């Protein structure tokens, strides 16, 4: 009973509610039932800037979508890697085709081009 009136007893402070953590894009997409993939970072080789690696993150729904599209692999990482290689290959082919098309153009004058 004396504890209630003890002037030296430390008062208990009301507990503060911890701030809610903001959900990540991945968490929001997963909760919404949507496939999600993102590039987290790019690591370049210091000696050769054309060599490097991408760090990707994804949710299980993205992997499931890739599997339905025909991608295969022993692990989720293998499946996503096969997809990413296809993306990179398509970028290279698109650039190559554009370069080839531009090589077959002769600029006649300011307003006309000749296509070979």
């Amino acid at each position: 009973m004396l504890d209630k009136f003890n002037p030296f007893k430390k008062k208990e402070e009301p507990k503060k509610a911890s701030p809610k953590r903001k959900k990540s894009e991945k968490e929001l997409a997963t909760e919404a039932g949507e496939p999600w993939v993102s590039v987290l970072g790019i690591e370049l080789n210091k000696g050769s800037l054309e060599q490097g690696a991408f760090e990707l993150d994804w949710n299980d729904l993205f992997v499931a979508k890739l599997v339905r599209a025909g991608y295969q692999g022993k692990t989720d990482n293998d499946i996503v890697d096969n997809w990413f290689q296809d993306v990179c290959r398509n970028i290279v082919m698109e650039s190559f085709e554009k370069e080839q098309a531009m090589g077959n153009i002769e600029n006649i004058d300011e307003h006309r081009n000749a296509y070979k």
Side-chain angles (χ1 to χ4, degrees), residues 25 49 57-58 78 97 109-110:
E25 288 181 28
L49 292 178
D57 189 20
W58 57 86
D78 292 340
E97 290 169 359
D109 62 30
E110 183 179 340

Side-chain angles (χ1 to χ4, degrees), residues 69-116:
Y71 286 95
Q72 298 177 354
K74 291 182 180 180
T75 66
D76 289 356
N77 194 51
D78 292 340
I79 294 167
V80 174
D81 188 52
N82 289 333
W83 164 79
F84 192 68
Q85 286 182 36
D86 273 356
V87 170
C88 293
R89 195 175 297 114
N90 287 333
I91 291 169
V92 169
M93 290 304 296
E94 192 175 292
S95 297
F96 176 75
E97 290 169 359
K98 184 177 179 180
E99 186 177 292
Q100 291 298 307
M102 297 302 287
N104 294 329
I105 298 174
E106 180 182 340
N107 190 350
I108 297 172
D109 62 30
E110 183 179 340
H111 303 287
R112 298 182 298 161
N113 293 322
Y115 296 88
K116 300 176 187 177

Side-chain angles (χ1 to χ4, degrees), residues 15-103:
K15 292 184 180 182
K16 296 178 183 175
S18 59
K20 288 191 176 184
R21 183 180 63 85
K22 190 174 181 181
K23 291 184 180 181
S24 68
E25 288 181 28
K26 179 180 180 178
E27 291 169 324
L28 293 171
T30 301
E31 286 177 4
E34 298 172 357
W36 178 88
V37 64
S38 181
V39 176
L40 297 181
I42 301 171
E43 184 178 312
L44 297 176
N45 185 333
K46 291 180 183 178
S48 179
L49 292 178
E50 63 273 358
Q51 294 180 352
F54 288 85
E55 181 183 1
L56 302 176
D57 189 20
W58 57 86
N59 65 8
D60 291 338
L61 296 165
F62 180 70
V63 176
K65 184 175 183 174
L66 293 178
V67 169
R68 285 192 304 276
Y71 286 95
Q72 298 177 354
K74 291 182 180 180
T75 66
D76 289 356
N77 194 51
D78 292 340
I79 294 167
V80 174
D81 188 52
N82 289 333
W83 164 79
F84 192 68
Q85 286 182 36
D86 273 356
V87 170
C88 293
R89 195 175 297 114
N90 287 333
I91 291 169
V92 169
M93 290 304 296
E94 192 175 292
S95 297
F96 176 75
E97 290 169 359
K98 184 177 179 180
E99 186 177 292
Q100 291 298 307
M102 297 302 287

